[in-house]
Amino acid sequence: MKPSVRNLMARPEMAALLIFFALLVVFSVLNDRFFTTGNMTVYLQPIPEIAIVAMGITILIIAGEFDLSVGSVFGLSPMVTVLLMQNGWPTAAAILVGLLIAALIGFGNGLITLKLKIPSFIATLGMLFMARSLAVVLAGGFPPIFPRELNVSWLVGRLDLGLVTPRVSLLYMIAIALVLGFVLRRMDFGHWIFATGGHPQAARDMGIKTKRVKMACFMLCAALAGFAGIIQSFRVKVIVPNLGTGLEMQAIAAAVIGGVALTGGVGSILGAVVGTLLIAMIENILILSGVNANWFMFAVGAMIVVAVVLNTQTRLKAEGMKG
Amino acid sequence: MNVAANPAPAVEEPIIKCVGLQKWYGAVHALKNVDFHAARGEVIGLVGDNGAGKSTLIKILSGVHTQDKGEIFIEGRSVSITGPEVAMGLGIETIYQYTAMVPEMSIAQNFFIGREPLKFGRPGFGIVDREKMAREAMEGLRGVGLHLRGADTPVKALSGGQRQGVAIARAMHFRSKVLILDEPTNHLSVKETNKVLDHVVELKGLGVTSIFISHNLHHIHPISDRIVAMARGEKIADLPASEISVDEMTRMIS
């Protein structure tokens, strides 16, 4: 086998990509309503919101840390933004503060994890509750009304592509994915992220400030979660304090299906996107087929296991073929 | 391989000089007033039992720890080595027993970890020059006689000896003046060990100073110009390798 094929097989998102295309074909054959313009439009709708969170999680896991608080930040950021708009703030400034609050939460996660040397799993579990509580307290028992007349077309308007009409947020997602992918693969900071997660001791001994790298990833992950929350609340034109509850599990599942290794140092942005597409596709086909929606979690769980097993096997195979 | 008979010139300023180094870890006095020096091109065998303080000494020189007291001079200039990047900036490179490589990353990436050549931007926010990385990594590897398939190969696919070769090539590429080798021959086969020892001798020819730490005195003795022995945080001996045998060294440190 050629080295190029071997390198391709060793890529972390390979298993997810294979499953994705396989299921795309299978579902299209099984259900003639699946691969239709109407259904594809519906299918693509929530993708950017989950994928953007999954990308942040992916980068943080590559750096060797973890964030369970993304679902809560996903709810807190738009809560702050909408409250500020309600108080007469211009949209741009309100969004900026919403994102800053998210980054601040990420900073807090980083501080607790890195300075106090507590596993990020625990630190961000605490933050999951704290940030959610903040969102509830800010809502004041009665969620603020989303300004209905607000122009949101620049963020979540319909994008007329002829066949399908996804939201503009899909473009934001693609732009973010391209930028993050570029940073990870082509920029020195991306190398530092991989080194920090792949072998922290080696990274430190080679002069990389691993704590700074991790802190940047914590903040980026939280800011992306906040942005994704703002997109969702702008799309549904509603803000409730429990927005994004349980989202952390979906985002982590997407990242893991996309080939991120919980041990750090392995993963890709494309994987996060494909992982998200897969989870949403499963949900979509279940609804479309009229299957009891409670099977959704079963399907996602099974897919996590299948994807990770497939990933491990292809990687082992690729490594076994030393040319 | 007997280069000990050809001692380095002792007249010039020592490339590295430590005066009165002290280090405490909590209540443990790990380094007690240690003086240490090395000349250009000199190979020093640093020996001692576990806990003798040799690790502490080299961790201070490589920037992993900072001394509590004492001064370090590089080429006569007083320096404060506050981190590994400072040590590397001063020309002190360290070869670790564990090779300081990220297994999942490629040879080229490992070669330049933390100091990637950039096409654009500044360190920490720059676009890496991947062609330059691949080219110079392969050149560096050929320089130490390692002929590997390609710079894209992940380091996890290399043997322990090959990894150590990459580490040495990396240190050489960055024009190190002082090479610290911390147990580099542990876990290596006899053949691989000889290769590492050969590298140290070659580097001596290029004027690189080496500080070689090993439990295996048979590895150290033949290539060293000078033996520095430590025990309980103190330097207990510092003499030309020609004046001491392996058996005497063993008795001294155990």
Side-chain angles (χ1 to χ4, degrees):
Chain A
M1 197 169 284
K2 283 182 190 167
S4 56
V5 177
R6 191 179 52 236
N7 287 343
L8 204 65
M9 273 181 63
R11 287 193 60 86
E13 70 277 5
M14 208 51 213
L17 268 173
L18 289 176
I19 300 177
F20 175 73
F21 286 115
L23 287 187
L24 198 64
V25 172
V26 170
F27 290 167
S28 301
V29 172
L30 279 182
N31 194 321
D32 52 14
R33 279 178 302 166
F34 176 71
F35 206 70
T36 56
T37 56
N39 186 47
M40 282 297 124
T41 299
V42 173
Y43 166 55
L44 287 175
Q45 201 140 266
I47 295 287
E49 294 144 26
I50 309 169
I52 289 172
V53 181
M55 288 188 241
I57 289 264
T58 295
I59 290 185
L60 187 58
I61 296 179
I62 292 174
E65 297 294 347
F66 207 71
D67 190 352
L68 285 170
S69 69
V70 286
S72 300
V73 173
F74 187 96
L76 177 62
S77 265
M79 182 61 75
V80 170
T81 298
V82 172
L83 277 172
L84 289 175
M85 289 194 300
Q86 215 176 35
N87 282 297
W89 283 53
T91 312
I95 289 178
L96 193 68
V97 174
L99 293 179
L100 282 177
I101 294 286
L104 201 65
I105 300 265
F107 185 77
N109 284 334
L111 215 58
I112 300 169
T113 304
L114 303 170
K115 287 276 175 223
L116 304 178
K117 302 190 195 310
I118 287 172
S120 50
F121 192 89
I122 305 297
T124 60
L125 179 65
M127 194 58 87
L128 178 153
F129 290 104
M130 291 191 275
R132 181 61 70 195
S133 173
L134 281 178
V136 177
V137 170
L138 281 176
F142 195 79
I145 312 279
F146 195 93
R148 289 260 146 195
E149 70 290 352
L150 186 75
N151 176 20
V152 294
S153 60
W154 60 274
L155 184 61
V156 289
R158 291 284 177 193
L159 201 63
D160 194 356
L161 298 181
L163 280 174
V164 283
T165 52
R167 304 280 184 162
V168 176
S169 52
L170 195 68
L171 296 182
Y172 287 77
M173 179 202 88
I174 293 170
I176 291 174
L178 289 176
V179 169
L180 294 180
F182 186 83
V183 170
L184 277 188
R185 291 281 160 201
R186 297 281 197 271
M187 294 188 73
D188 55 351
F189 194 74
H191 287 209
W192 300 358
I193 292 174
F194 278 102
T196 296
H199 200 313
Q201 172 90 49
R204 270 195 304 275
D205 284 341
M206 294 315 291
I208 294 174
K209 306 274 188 204
T210 55
K211 285 188 178 180
R212 267 188 228 173
V213 171
K214 286 183 173 184
M215 182 57 101
C217 294
F218 271 115
M219 292 175 71
L220 177 69
C221 175
L224 288 172
F227 184 56
I230 289 170
I231 293 177
Q232 184 159 89
S233 106
F234 273 47
R235 174 167 67 87
V236 297
K237 288 204 167 189
V238 164
I239 180 65
V240 284
N242 63 350
L243 191 76
T245 305
L247 183 86
E248 58 281 341
M249 285 305 154
Q250 272 199 49
I252 292 166
V256 169
I257 291 170
V260 88
L262 290 183
T263 43
V266 179
S268 78
I269 291 297
L270 180 59
V273 176
V274 176
T276 305
L277 286 171
L278 260 173
I279 291 180
M281 191 194 274
I282 297 276
E283 190 176 22
N284 180 273
I285 194 73
L286 289 181
I287 294 169
L288 216 55
S289 315
V291 177
N292 183 343
N294 293 323
W295 282 105
F296 171 58
M297 287 210 278
F298 184 92
V300 171
M303 203 165 57
I304 293 177
V305 176
V306 170
V308 172
V309 168
L310 206 61
N311 247 325
T312 314
Q313 293 303 319
T314 39
R315 285 174 66 81
L316 283 177
K317 262 223 167 90
E319 276 164 38
M321 293 182 302
K322 294 181 187 177
Chain B
M1 213 161 56
N2 187 12
V3 286
N6 176 22
V11 279
E12 57 181 304
E13 185 83 58
I15 188 139
I16 190 163
K17 190 170 96 177
C18 307
V19 182
L21 286 188
Q22 307 231 29
K23 178 77 187 174
W24 284 267
Y25 294 115
V28 180
H29 200 175
L31 218 52
K32 300 172 188 162
N33 210 23
V34 169
D35 294 339
F36 178 85
H37 67 93
R40 203 176 115 82
E42 196 175 23
V43 178
I44 295 175
L46 185 56
V47 300
D49 208 351
N50 290 338
K54 57 189 197 310
S55 261
T56 306
L57 174 61
I58 62 120
K59 275 182 179 145
I60 288 170
L61 293 180
S62 57
V64 176
H65 292 316
T66 314
Q67 74 271 24
D68 295 316
K69 267 189 187 162
E71 231 180 325
I72 301 171
F73 300 89
I74 302 290
E75 291 174 316
R77 200 160 51 89
S78 175
V79 294
S80 107
I81 305 176
T82 49
E85 69 285 356
V86 178
M88 292 188 285
L90 291 166
I92 304 171
E93 295 277 339
T94 308
I95 308 283
Y96 296 92
Q97 177 186 334
Y98 79 99
T99 70
M101 299 262 161
V102 184
E104 291 286 345
M105 295 175 82
S106 73
I107 292 174
Q109 285 171 333
N110 269 290
F111 209 87
F112 290 98
I113 267 181
R115 33 189 176 172
E116 292 79 3
L118 301 177
K119 274 197 285 202
F120 179 81
R122 54 177 181 77
F125 193 81
I127 299 170
V128 295
D129 189 340
R130 301 201 297 173
E131 290 77 31
K132 188 174 178 186
M133 279 171 65
R135 195 176 59 240
E136 294 191 353
M138 291 317 276
E139 275 169 21
L141 293 180
R142 276 193 296 274
V144 298
L146 257 181
H147 297 278
L148 296 172
R149 232 179 317 137
D152 287 339
T153 312
V155 160
K156 66 183 172 186
L158 304 181
S159 71
Q162 286 172 326
R163 290 184 202 196
Q164 217 49 290
V166 176
I168 289 172
R170 172 168 72 183
M172 283 325 300
H173 178 82
F174 288 99
R175 316 206 177 286
S176 71
K177 297 170 188 160
V178 179
L179 193 62
I180 298 171
L181 299 104
D182 187 6
E183 307 268 5
T185 53
N186 281 20
H187 314 312
L188 294 191
S189 67
V190 174
K191 200 175 150 205
E192 288 174 335
T193 297
N194 287 338
K195 194 108 192 172
V196 170
L197 299 181
D198 285 346
H199 286 318
V200 175
V201 176
E202 280 164 34
L203 294 180
K204 177 186 169 64
L206 297 171
V208 176
T209 303
S210 294
I211 302 169
F212 194 123
I213 296 116
S214 177
H215 275 101
N216 192 325
L217 304 179
H218 293 280
H219 291 170
I220 283 191
H221 192 263
I223 61 165
S224 295
D225 296 315
R226 194 149 56 83
I227 300 290
V228 172
M230 296 186 68
R232 293 170 300 279
E234 286 173 287
K235 190 164 87 173
I236 55 167
D238 186 342
L239 71 178
S242 53
E243 291 175 16
I244 187 167
S245 70
V246 171
D247 287 341
E248 287 166 331
M249 278 162 69
T250 310
R251 273 196 298 280
M252 186 167 64
I253 63 170
S254 53

